Amino acid sequence: MLTTRFADGAPNWIDVATPDIAGAASFYGDLLGWRFRSAGPDAGGYGFFQLDGRTVAGGMQTGPGQSPPAWTVYFRSKDAQATAEAAEQAHGSVLRQPTDVMDQGRMAVLADRAGVVFGIWQPGQTEGLDAANEPGALCWVELYTPDIAAAAAFYRKVLGLETSAASFPGKTYTCVNPSGADDAVFGGMVPLADASAEAQAGAGPYWLPYFEVENPDAVADRAQRLGGAVRLPPTTVPGVGRMAQLADPYGARFAVIRSESAQD
């Protein structure tokens, strides 16, 4: 599971790019109880979504022609430059070269072999998010990709990630964990072909973040009332929990789940 005891290769940050940060703040505030706080005049419009005073995500406004509305998952790296070079060697690409973020850390934006965008965060003063795996916070990430084997090889070379198989009725799920920590599974990989037409509509491969909630059905209904969309209606997966895949009013995709571990 995700924790704030971040290991190299595990997600330690997440942010959303949106054409309307005020509108996104209103949406996620009403949906998940978040409050948006600007990082200040020197941050280029970047800010933090907080829950009970703790940072659970970041957000930034984009202009015309910039990146489309989307959530980006960042993975912990002890050396962002080395990780960026490893991504290129593994036939990925560097979309934004490693850059210092004041004294808070060092970040880069990369893409894997299939073109899936993800970030790297090398901690400085900021280790990562303040909360994980609790209501309103990031609890899981899932990669939708056309080639599981190729993705597994890429992320192993670049981030040291390991994969394992979990069996469910009718299918096998590929779990992901940091190197040498098979008890710290934080996400999974799903064949793009297995995504429902509604969930996949208009998207290529991508990382999908999951936020823990107490009532996915109510959250899905509220998302629609707030101008968002339900990409996959609330569904129960035995042994996992009840989940729904959504999009905010600008098209950024995310999911919510009431995991069985949280219920227990």
Side-chain angles (χ1 to χ4, degrees), residues 114-143:
V116 179
V117 176
F118 66 101
I120 293 299
W121 181 256
Q122 176 185 333
Q125 293 295 321
T126 297
E127 177 69 25
L129 301 173
D130 293 332
N133 206 45
E134 60 183 74
L138 184 68
C139 64
W140 191 257
V141 296
E142 203 165 60
L143 176 66

